[in-house]
Amino acid sequence: MSDYRIETKCVQGGYTPGNGEPRQIPIVQSTTFKYATSEDMGKLFDLEASGYFYTRLQNPTNDYVAAKICELEGGTAAMLTSSGQAANFFALFNICSCGDHIVSSSSIYGGTFNLISVTMAKMGIEVTFVSPDCTDAELKAAFRPNTKAVFGETIANPALTVLDIEKFAKAAHAHGVPLIVDNTFATPVNCRPFEWGADIVTHSTTKYMDGHGAAVGGAIVDSGRFDWMAHADKFPGLCTPDDSYHGITYAEKFGREGAFITKCTAQLMRDFGAIQSPQNAFYLNLGLESLHVRMARHCENGQAVAEFLAQHPKVASVIYCGLPGDKYHLLAEKYLPHGSCGVVSFELKGGREAASTFMKHLKLAAIETHVADARTCCLNPASSTHRQMTDEQLAAAGVPAGLVRMSCGLENKQDLIDDIAQALDQVK
């Protein structure tokens, strides 16, 4: 559906039923698949034929939905994972191994920060975190001979910094490595990182893509543009024979367009099994069908709430790139001209105690670890999603201890403002 606009792809991308076939994507709720001969199945194991043999690796329902997300992002191949965390881990671990190094923006989701800095460090993979506002020289200095990837978030959760994608892509490519961008908050409706030089895009589909708090999931999309063979010495997993899969060299057999996702499926999904259930993929597709409509309302509500908070005397600061005075407003105009997201971060003058009082008195907004939902929710990241980080790390990530992250849902914007106003009245 390359000739269609993104709204049409949200509704109809990824799956075109034939005559007499289901109009909605079918839920293939089966762990395994039948074949007439061992030779037929053997072709699948040799990656000589397309098809399915075990849902731990692939499932038709998942592939329909992955194909839609691939179309939305403008990629060449995609896969679903069990969560956004699994997507980020797979995307990095697919090209990194013990002894390798990652350059990452320091302003990223706390769970991803922990994944890279602690869990992957135990696997022998080191990371250098850089400020998203770093100079070109500072970014260049972060690279090492064993650097294999650069990572960042289009809109950081919850700091709401906007990544200068072109700057990070230019640095990554100058050092022969891909830029991986988590595009969860912006979604392809508001930003398509491939158009700005990114090579791999990840998503927590649990957020706006699903949009209803119904199904946990993740996705990885490959742009199909990074030339792995041109940097074969850096990426032996893609550019030399895989002894665990009949000696296949992924970059040779599947080219730029398919090597990354094929290896990620054949190796990592095979061994880790972090598959998204077909039922969850079905729910995700329902969310995708209205993504283009919902994102506009989320952005409208987020903008209205941010403008109200910016004028309130009990609010110390507001972070929302849609505000003209925001630090990232110019980058948002470049990368997010149609809006960013519905998430607003702000700090009350009374600090952590004031934030606690404020959230306790909200009536519409619920205190949840979730975000990017049809229903408005909020939390104090320092005491929840980012609680594993030190105060110094919180500050580096742009997440002060008294910060409130509010995810504006699809309710009436004036009702949201009225609820916020009455809760602020309770703050002394």
Side-chain angles (χ1 to χ4, degrees):
M1 301 187 73
S2 59
D3 294 335
Y4 292 98
R5 293 169 177 81
I6 199 162
E7 296 87 351
T8 303
K9 292 178 180 179
C10 281
V11 179
Q12 297 206 31
Y15 171 68
T16 303
N19 190 39
E21 293 182 344
R23 187 64 191 89
Q24 181 56 276
I25 65 169
I27 304 171
V28 182
Q29 195 63 49
S30 179
T31 62
T32 191
F33 302 83
K34 176 184 177 295
Y35 286 89
T37 69
S38 295
E39 288 75 18
D40 289 336
M41 182 171 283
K43 291 177 182 178
L44 301 178
F45 278 92
D46 290 343
L47 301 180
E48 295 293 342
S50 60
Y52 305 92
F53 52 85
Y54 199 54
T55 286
R56 190 182 80 228
L57 279 86
Q58 285 180 287
N59 177 283
T61 307
N62 293 25
D63 281 357
Y64 291 138
V65 182
K68 174 177 285 190
I69 295 173
C70 189
E71 289 184 17
L72 293 176
E73 285 287 7
T76 58
M79 64 188 290
L80 299 187
T81 62
S82 59
S83 68
Q85 280 291 82
N88 283 333
F89 172 62
F90 276 21
L92 289 165
F93 197 58
N94 201 36
I95 51 177
C96 296
S97 59
C98 183
D100 288 339
H101 174 255
I102 296 165
V103 173
S104 174
S105 168
S106 61
S107 187
I108 56 176
Y109 170 58
T112 309
F113 187 99
N114 193 70
L115 167 69
I116 298 173
S117 65
V118 179
T119 303
M120 294 185 73
K122 294 176 181 178
M123 306 169 77
I125 300 169
E126 296 184 328
V127 61
T128 297
F129 288 105
V130 297
S131 167
D133 308 323
C134 65
T135 65
D136 290 340
E138 290 169 336
L139 182 53
K140 180 180 179 181
F143 285 84
R144 303 176 186 174
N146 60 337
T147 300
K148 297 299 177 67
V150 179
F151 180 84
E153 296 179 2
T154 308
I155 305 172
N157 174 17
L160 301 183
T161 55
V162 177
L163 188 72
D164 190 341
I165 300 173
E166 281 193 317
K167 179 176 78 173
F168 276 74
K170 181 180 178 181
H173 298 158
H175 291 83
V177 302
L179 171 62
I180 301 173
V181 174
D182 185 327
N183 198 34
T184 295
F185 267 16
T187 81
V189 170
N190 285 339
C191 182
R192 305 214 308 173
F194 293 156
E195 296 177 356
W196 301 101
D199 301 289
I200 309 292
V201 159
T202 62
H203 286 276
S204 170
T205 62
T206 317
K207 308 304 189 297
Y208 284 122
M209 283 188 166
D210 170 84
H212 300 85
V216 174
I220 307 171
V221 187
D222 183 9
S223 68
R225 297 174 185 167
F226 192 83
D227 190 346
W228 305 106
M229 291 302 291
H231 309 282
D233 58 322
K234 284 184 174 289
F235 305 104
L238 283 159
C239 301
T240 60
D242 178 5
D243 293 335
S244 75
Y245 232 109
H246 315 294
I248 284 175
T249 299
Y250 296 99
E252 289 182 351
K253 187 172 181 63
F254 301 101
R256 298 183 189 183
E257 294 80 8
F260 186 89
I261 294 297
T262 302
K263 177 181 179 293
C264 204
T265 301
Q267 278 189 1
L268 302 189
M269 195 62 82
R270 175 196 65 191
D271 294 342
F272 290 98
I275 193 76
Q276 187 170 151
S277 76
Q279 187 73 50
N280 278 11
F282 178 85
Y283 294 142
L284 169 57
N285 188 62
L286 293 179
L288 289 170
E289 289 178 352
S290 64
L291 180 64
H292 58 296
V293 180
R294 290 185 289 105
M295 286 306 295
R297 183 59 173 266
H298 283 298
C299 292
E300 178 186 346
N301 285 356
Q303 185 72 30
V305 165
E307 290 174 357
F308 170 78
L309 289 168
Q311 300 300 319
H312 201 284
K314 293 182 181 179
V315 176
S317 62
V318 180
I319 304 171
Y320 190 73
C321 62
L323 296 175
D326 187 85
K327 181 179 181 180
Y328 295 97
H329 186 66
L330 289 178
L331 280 178
E333 287 188 323
K334 175 180 178 177
Y335 294 116
L336 304 157
H338 304 298
S340 57
C341 64
V343 182
V344 181
S345 291
F346 57 98
E347 190 173 7
L348 299 181
K349 291 181 178 178
R352 190 189 295 257
E353 183 179 348
S356 177
T357 300
F358 166 75
M359 292 194 299
K360 182 170 64 176
H361 286 91
L362 287 168
K363 297 176 180 178
L364 281 178
I367 300 174
E368 303 176 12
T369 56
H370 194 40
V371 70
D373 193 287
R375 294 160 291 271
T376 295
C377 52
C378 68
L379 86 166
N380 172 233
S383 60
S384 54
T385 56
H386 287 57
R387 66 181 301 119
Q388 76 277 9
M389 297 171 68
T390 66
D391 285 350
E392 291 76 17
Q393 290 172 333
L394 285 169
V399 189
L403 191 77
V404 174
R405 181 189 70 183
M406 178 167 284
S407 174
C408 300
L410 303 179
E411 301 92 347
N412 179 277
K413 61 186 176 184
Q414 190 58 51
D415 287 339
L416 292 179
I417 290 172
D418 291 345
D419 187 35
I420 292 169
Q422 66 82 26
L424 285 171
D425 287 343
Q426 306 303 315
V427 177
K428 305 305 180 185

